[in-house]
Amino acid sequence: MTSEAMTTLDSLVIRLQEVFVAAEPALTRLDEITGDGDFGVNLREGFAEVADRLAAPDSPAPWDAVRAVFFDEVGGTSGPLFGLLFQSLGIRAAQADSYIDALRIGIGEGLAAIQRVGEAQVGDRTLVDALAPAVEALNGHGDIAAMTRAAVDGALATATLRARRGRASYLGERAVGHPDPGAVGVALLLCVLVEPVYGTEVSDRERARLLDAVSGSTSGND
């Protein structure tokens, strides 16, 4: 029997695709400045593959499809790291009826798995800089709106950091002034995860705050 929390995650897959497809141009432009330029496209194509798998006659459960695609098909370093987060969320959601409990434990365990594999710490200018504050806020307040705000704040704060890991670490000061694409991607994900509890109000506000800042940071680099 599928838990209520798992049913909720499954219901968000189409919404995640909508959000990441809409954000792809901004993410791509940001990654052209600070990385390899493929981050937004990789996410968009990953969710397109998820949609194809879900349209097949023998389709898997939606969240299982997301986890499998990001582990096995999405390129770059971020794909498997997102896959670890999706996997941790799915495991906890399958075991708990409380959606908020599934998020609190699953995101925390996803962060631990990502740090174990990638060895990134807060301040390295990676997706950990958005995910770690989100985990801290959720553990401290039990409020997923606070989690989302903390993730967006963390992602935006990466604009002040000099990268110590990843492609951006080779760019030196050139990446400073622009948020890290992986951190922005994680913050976008968490904006969607808040919607089953708060509707789209919190999500829309925080996504706008995030993407407006991204657009502002890249507008002078045409």
Side-chain angles (χ1 to χ4, degrees), residues 22-200:
E24 183 269 320
L27 292 173
T28 295
R29 182 66 181 128
L30 182 61
D31 200 37
E32 287 172 348
I33 297 168
T34 65
D36 295 325
D38 60 357
F39 179 65
V41 173
N42 286 342
L43 292 181
R44 184 195 67 202
E45 292 182 349
F47 278 104
E49 174 64 20
V50 170
D52 288 345
R53 293 191 184 191
L54 295 180
D58 56 346
S59 63
W63 202 259
D64 285 343
V66 171
R67 175 195 54 76
V69 166
F70 274 77
F71 263 132
D72 300 331
E73 305 294 338
V74 175
T77 57
S78 294
L81 297 180
F82 272 74
L84 286 170
L85 182 55
F86 291 141
Q87 176 175 267
S88 297
L89 282 167
I91 289 172
R92 286 302 169 183
Q95 298 172 350
D97 280 331
S98 168
Y99 178 66
I100 292 177
D101 283 348
L103 291 187
R104 180 176 56 80
I105 300 171
I107 292 173
E109 291 178 344
L111 171 63
I114 287 168
Q115 290 189 289
R116 185 167 59 249
V117 170
E119 300 183 344
Q121 302 297 319
V122 172
D124 283 348
R125 191 188 158 91
T126 71
L127 57 84
V128 167
D129 288 294
L131 197 55
V135 170
E136 182 178 357
L138 190 52
N139 286 335
H141 303 286
D143 178 359
I144 60 174
M147 170 197 77
T148 305
R149 289 192 297 271
V152 171
D153 287 344
L156 295 179
T158 60
T160 67
L161 300 175
R162 179 167 177 161
R164 295 197 290 257
R165 292 184 178 275
R167 173 71 173 83
S169 65
Y170 299 103
L171 299 178
E173 297 297 328
R174 285 173 52 198
V176 175
H178 309 285
D180 174 70
V184 172
V186 161
L188 286 172
L189 166 64
L190 297 186
C191 284
V192 175
L193 294 182
V194 81
E195 291 185 3
V197 178
Y198 288 98
T200 60

Side-chain angles (χ1 to χ4, degrees), residues 12-24 47 192 195 207:
L12 289 174
V13 171
I14 292 175
R15 176 62 172 156
L16 282 170
Q17 181 181 18
E18 292 173 350
V19 166
F20 280 110
V21 167
E24 183 269 320
F47 278 104
V192 175
E195 291 185 3
R207 283 189 297 112

